[in-house]
Amino acid sequence: MSNKGRFLATDKIPGLLKRLGGTYRVFAPVKVSDTVILFHEFKEGAQLALNKQATLPPKEILFPQTECLLSYTYHKDPENLEKSEVQVEETLEALPTIIFGARPCDARGLMVFDAVFNDGQWRDPYYKARRKATTIVTILCTQPENTCFCTSVGGGPTNTEGSDLVLTPVTGGYFAEPATEKGGALLQDEAFALGHNKADEAREEREKVSLESELELDGIAQCLLELFSTDFWKQVSAKCISCGACTYVCPTCYCFNITDETAGVKGERIRTWDSCMFYQYTLEASGHNPRPTKVERYRNRIGHKFSYHPTNYEGMFGCTGCGRCIKACPVSLDIRQVLREVKVHG
Amino acid sequence: MEAIGKLREDIQKELEDVEFIIGWEQGFDALHATPLFIRSQEDIDRLIWNPLCVHNLASYLPQLKGRKVGVLLKGCDSRSVIQLLQEGLIQREEIVIFGISCPGVVDLSKIRARMNVSQVKRVSFAEGNVTIETPQGREEFPLDEVLATKCLSCQYPTPLIYDHLAGEALSPQRPADLLYKEVEEIEKLDVKERLAHWERELNRCIRCYACRNACPLCVCQDYCAADSRNPHWLSQRAGIGEKVMWHIMHALHVAGRCTDCGECERACPMDIPIQRIRKKINKEIKALFDYEAGVNTEDTPPLYTFQMEESTIREKDW
C-alpha cells in the first residue's frame, strides 16, 4: 500500500461521519439490538459497531431489497373511455454515498455484483449509477471468526480489492490508506491526523492475521457438474428447511423478482430480492417447476456459486467466504462441509 | 444408564425398520448442534444430546409423510407431533418416536448477547452452569440465565408421546405462571406504544421466512399466501407494513395450533422476539376456549370446530 496513510482516532469517527453526512449518504454498522448489527444511515448518537462483522452485508445499499424501477399512471381518454394512455416515470435515484466499515468480504461481494450488473453482457442502470456514486471504506479483519473462509475463495482478511479507503485497526483507532482516488479524497477531512508512527503497527497487525485456506476448491466447478444428477443432493440437503435466510444474508446473492403492483390507476414496477430457496423462484407459467423440492433448490445454490458463476465470470466464485450463511442458518448447515463432500464425491 | 447410551441402544434396535432417524450431532463449532440424519452405525456414534440440541426435529415430519422414519423429541417437541397427528398431517404408524426427558435447552441469542462467540473452542455443562472457552479466556455462568425462555416455564419436560424414552421421566420443575410474563409486559403498554414496539422490532425482518419454514405447523410452505404471486395477496415490498402483515398472518394461521415450541423465534436470523406474538394468541385462546394445543391427540383445535354456543364464551350475557 501507499505511504499516504493517516491516523483516524476512534473518537474522531462520529464527527467524521457527521461531516461526511453533509455531502454524502453515510452508512455505517450500527447496533440495533442486543445481537444485531446493521448498516444504517448514520445519525448522531447511533451506537457504532466497528469491531465485528455486521449481521447483514451492505449489499442493500446498492441493491435494495425493494426498489421502484418505474412508476406509471393510466389516463382514460375522455372521448373514448375504452382507451387509456399510460404515463411512465423513471425513478432512478443515485445520491453520493459512503459505506463506512465494510469488511473485505463485503467489498469483494460487490465485485461479484459488478461482474453481473456493471461490466457484463447486461448492464443494470440502477445498480450502475449507485455503484458509481458510492465510496467504500473497509476495515480489515484482524480477528476472523470461526465461520470465516474468505481465503479459500480468493479473498483474505486483509484483502483490499473493491475498497476505496482501507482502515487497519491499530492502538486507539485505525490507520487509513487510500486504495483509489475516491478513497484518498476522504483523507482531507480534519479527523485524519498524520500517521507516520502508526504505519509500522498497521503493517504488523496485517501480518499477524492468520486464516488458513482450509478448502481445496480446484476443479470444483467440474465436480459439481458430475454430481448434478445424483442422490448426493438428497443427502446434503436433508437438514435444509428451505428458508431464504442464507440467500438474504449473503453478500453475493443477487437474484431478483420484478412485480407490477397497481392500486387503482397508478402503480409501480418494483424489483425485490428473490431466493433460489423459494418454490416460486423458477415456477413457470405452465405450472411446471424445474426445481420442485429443496433438493434441486439447494443444488442450485451451491452450483451457482461454485460452478455456473465461475464458468460465466472468469473463475470468480459467487461466494466471498463471509460465513454469514453458516451463522444465520436455523439448522447450522455448513457450506464448507458441503464443499468438502463435493470434492470427495464429485 | 445415561440418556445418550439408552438413545443409541434404542436407535440401533429400530434402525433397520426405518429409512432414517433424525437426531443431533455437533455442528460447525462447540456451541452449535445440527440435525443429524442417522442411516448407519457410524451415524449413531456421532449422535449427541445436551442443552445445545435446540432444534425441534418434528418440523421435518410433515414433508416426510408416507415414509417411515424415526425422530428424537424433547417434551416440548412432542407437542408438535401430537398437534400434527390431531390434524392428520402425519401418521402415527409411520413414525418411531424416541422421547428424551429434557431439563432445558439454551437460547444461543442470549449467549451471543453477553459474550463474543466468534471463536468458541469448548462448551461444557455441569452443576447448573455453562462454561464457554474462547481464545480470550473462560466464561462461566448459570445455565438458567441463557436457557430458552420457554424452558423457564416448561410444564412438559417429559415427552407426552413416545415409543422409547431416554432419561428418567421428569415432573415439571418450573413455575407455570411465568408462561405469559413477556406478553404481560407488552400488554402494559398502551396501543400506540405497542405498535411502536412491534414496528421497531419487526423493521429488521428481511422476509426470509425462516420463521415459517422452521415452524412444525406451517405446512403450506410452498403454497404460502405470503409469497404467492397468483393471487398476489401480499405486496412483494419489504416495507414495515408488509413485514407486520406477514407476522400477523403467520400468528393467526397457527392460532389454537401453536404449541409454543419457539422455533419461529429461534430460526430468525435477525433475532426478532416473534414467539411473543404467538404466545399472546395462545394466551387469548386459553382464556376464550380453555384450550392448550398439542397435549392430547384426541382434541380438535378450537378454530377447527364451530358450535352455535361455545361453552366457554358467554355471548348471551354481553
Side-chain angles (χ1 to χ4, degrees):
Chain A
M1 265 181 269
S2 69
N3 56 5
K4 293 178 192 157
R6 294 280 188 278
F7 175 63
L8 174 61
T10 307
D11 58 6
K12 301 274 186 199
I13 293 175
L16 165 70
L17 299 185
K18 193 184 165 199
R19 282 189 297 280
L20 293 173
T23 319
Y24 302 89
R25 295 190 310 156
V26 178
F27 290 87
V30 171
K31 199 171 170 191
V32 297
S33 79
D34 288 346
T35 53
V36 178
I37 299 167
L38 297 177
F39 281 89
H40 271 190
E41 203 157 351
F42 178 76
K43 289 195 188 80
E44 229 174 335
Q47 204 181 342
L48 285 170
L50 300 173
N51 60 351
K52 273 188 83 178
Q53 184 188 60
T55 311
L56 298 182
K59 77 172 172 184
E60 191 180 8
I61 300 161
L62 289 127
F63 180 65
Q65 184 164 7
T66 303
E67 123 178 68
C68 179
L69 298 178
L70 54 88
S71 58
Y72 53 87
T73 313
Y74 289 100
H75 297 280
K76 285 229 189 288
D77 181 348
E79 303 296 315
N80 178 358
L81 291 175
E82 286 184 2
K83 268 176 73 180
S84 59
E85 268 186 21
V86 64
Q87 184 192 337
V88 175
E89 275 171 50
E90 191 187 39
T91 48
L92 175 61
E93 190 181 64
L95 301 169
T97 299
I98 289 179
I99 299 174
F100 185 91
R103 294 282 160 173
C105 51
D106 296 332
R108 215 175 138 78
L110 294 173
M111 290 168 67
V112 174
F113 273 67
D114 289 346
V116 179
F117 289 137
N118 220 22
D119 311 326
Q121 194 177 353
W122 297 281
R123 311 227 163 156
D124 183 86
Y126 300 86
Y127 176 82
K128 207 172 164 64
R130 278 193 212 111
R131 182 67 160 119
K132 199 169 165 216
T134 301
T135 305
I136 299 170
V137 182
T138 301
I139 297 175
L140 301 182
C141 293
T142 44
Q143 287 182 319
E145 302 189 23
N146 62 4
T147 40
C148 293
F149 60 104
C150 55
T151 44
S152 300
V153 288
T158 59
N159 193 299
T160 61
E161 282 177 293
S163 303
D164 295 301
L165 184 66
V166 179
L167 306 180
T168 307
V170 290
T171 316
Y174 299 88
F175 187 64
E177 292 162 276
T180 66
E181 255 176 55
K182 256 203 297 196
L186 300 183
L187 293 179
Q188 315 240 320
D189 187 276
E190 66 188 54
F192 295 95
L194 283 177
H196 304 307
N197 54 341
K198 295 285 183 181
D200 288 344
E201 189 188 344
R203 201 187 57 242
E204 279 167 28
E205 283 297 322
R206 285 194 296 269
E207 283 168 2
K208 263 200 299 199
V209 184
S210 67
L211 182 64
E212 297 286 315
S213 177
E214 56 170 324
L215 298 172
E216 178 47 68
L217 297 179
D218 281 352
I220 192 142
Q222 190 56 34
C223 290
L224 283 162
L225 293 183
E226 279 161 22
L227 282 173
F228 193 85
S229 306
T230 65
D231 276 351
F232 174 77
W233 298 104
K234 268 190 194 163
Q235 307 279 331
V236 297
S237 68
K239 71 171 88 164
C240 171
I241 58 169
S242 215
C243 73
C246 54
T247 59
Y248 282 9
V249 302
C250 174
T252 66
C253 274
Y254 54 76
C255 285
F256 59 82
N257 176 27
I258 293 177
T259 328
D260 280 357
E261 301 217 345
T262 313
V265 294
K266 286 171 179 259
E268 286 183 343
R269 175 160 297 175
I270 60 162
R271 168 159 68 180
T272 50
W273 292 353
D274 204 347
S275 167
C276 59
M277 297 289 111
F278 295 157
Y279 178 74
Q280 284 85 354
Y281 178 72
T282 43
L283 181 61
E284 294 169 9
S286 66
H288 170 69
N289 192 332
R291 300 190 182 95
T293 74
K294 70 179 180 186
V295 178
E296 297 84 11
R297 289 177 230 160
Y298 193 74
R299 178 181 66 191
N300 182 73
R301 178 167 163 77
I302 302 297
H304 186 191
K305 293 192 172 301
F306 295 95
S307 182
Y308 329 139
H309 201 280
T311 302
N312 292 338
Y313 298 103
E314 297 169 4
M316 186 182 219
F317 290 126
C319 169
T320 66
C322 75
R324 285 188 182 90
C325 58
I326 306 168
K327 289 196 282 187
C329 179
V331 296
S332 293
L333 180 44
D334 185 348
I335 194 169
R336 294 167 299 186
Q337 184 57 26
V338 174
L339 294 171
R340 278 184 213 113
E341 288 179 30
V342 167
K343 284 302 294 275
V344 171
H345 294 94
Chain B
M1 193 195 313
E2 249 197 293
I4 186 80
K6 170 85 164 67
L7 272 172
R8 289 203 172 111
E9 216 168 75
D10 291 338
I11 288 171
Q12 200 162 26
K13 275 186 227 154
E14 297 278 2
L15 195 56
E16 261 185 33
D17 295 327
V18 295
E19 209 174 310
F20 48 73
I21 293 162
I22 315 171
W24 303 271
E25 67 176 320
Q26 195 58 54
F28 63 87
D29 73 1
L31 193 60
H32 292 80
T34 184
L36 167 70
F37 286 64
I38 301 169
R39 296 181 167 89
S40 64
Q41 178 61 46
E42 195 192 18
D43 294 337
I44 297 177
D45 298 340
R46 281 154 58 194
L47 180 75
I48 60 165
W49 165 243
N50 61 39
L52 299 172
C53 298
V54 292
H55 322 80
N56 178 357
L57 304 174
S59 299
Y60 291 109
L61 296 178
Q63 296 200 351
L64 296 168
K65 198 178 174 189
R67 295 156 74 177
K68 189 158 187 197
V69 299
V71 65
L72 273 59
L73 298 176
K74 307 183 285 282
C76 50
D77 306 338
S78 77
R79 291 178 61 193
S80 306
V81 166
I82 289 175
Q83 191 59 37
L84 289 165
L85 286 168
Q86 269 184 37
E87 299 180 35
L89 295 165
I90 55 174
Q91 297 300 319
R92 181 67 183 93
E93 60 277 13
E94 288 174 358
I95 298 158
V96 180
I97 301 173
F98 301 84
I100 314 167
S101 295
C102 170
V105 294
V106 302
D107 177 340
L108 290 174
S109 66
K110 286 186 186 171
I111 295 180
R112 283 199 301 272
R114 60 189 295 162
M115 66 181 286
N116 180 356
V117 297
S118 63
Q119 289 285 5
V120 170
K121 301 285 176 222
R122 207 164 157 263
V123 179
S124 51
F125 300 93
E127 289 161 14
N129 285 325
V130 52
T131 308
I132 299 180
E133 290 172 41
T134 69
Q136 287 80 45
R138 285 158 62 98
E139 290 215 34
E140 185 170 342
F141 37 83
L143 187 56
D144 267 19
E145 289 179 12
V146 291
L147 276 188
T149 306
K150 65 174 176 179
C151 303
L152 300 174
S153 59
C154 175
Q155 299 304 300
Y156 303 100
T158 306
L160 296 169
I161 186 172
Y162 54 80
D163 299 300
H164 303 273
L165 181 67
E168 295 293 314
L170 300 171
S171 51
Q173 308 283 316
R174 304 287 182 170
D177 55 358
L178 284 183
L179 185 56
Y180 300 118
K181 189 170 162 250
E182 292 169 304
V183 172
E184 283 152 7
E185 292 291 311
I186 298 172
E187 284 171 344
K188 284 182 200 151
L189 304 174
D190 71 36
V191 172
K192 270 192 182 163
E193 288 171 335
R194 245 184 276 174
L195 181 66
H197 165 82
W198 281 114
E199 286 190 342
R200 197 170 52 245
E201 294 285 358
L202 293 175
N203 201 28
R204 58 180 190 274
C205 169
I206 50 175
R207 290 188 73 178
C208 70
Y209 300 120
C211 51
R212 173 189 72 192
N213 288 43
C215 174
L217 295 165
C218 265
V219 289
C220 307
Q221 296 275 338
D222 293 347
Y223 302 94
C224 177
D227 53 1
S228 156
R229 292 173 194 176
N230 187 20
H232 203 172
W233 295 111
L234 186 58
S235 167
Q236 293 298 302
R237 287 183 180 86
I240 186 67
E242 288 77 22
K243 293 172 185 182
V244 169
M245 182 60 89
W246 154 244
H247 288 284
I248 290 174
M249 258 168 88
H250 185 185
L252 287 176
H253 200 168
V254 294
R257 308 168 62 229
C258 171
T259 61
D260 203 24
C261 74
E263 281 294 89
C264 51
E265 182 166 319
R266 187 194 65 75
C268 178
M270 306 304 282
D271 287 338
I272 306 171
I274 45 178
Q275 190 178 1
R276 288 174 206 174
I277 306 175
R278 284 91 179 132
K279 233 178 189 139
K280 165 70 177 167
I281 295 179
N282 285 355
K283 183 173 176 243
E284 299 303 325
I285 294 274
K286 179 78 179 156
L288 275 174
F289 300 102
D290 191 25
Y291 184 80
E292 193 176 16
V295 291
N296 182 355
T297 45
E298 305 306 314
D299 282 349
T300 306
L303 301 185
Y304 274 40
T305 62
F306 176 76
Q307 296 169 46
M308 290 299 286
E309 303 264 346
E310 285 285 351
S311 60
T312 48
I313 303 175
R314 308 193 64 84
E315 269 179 278
K316 300 270 165 66
D317 297 347
W318 287 0

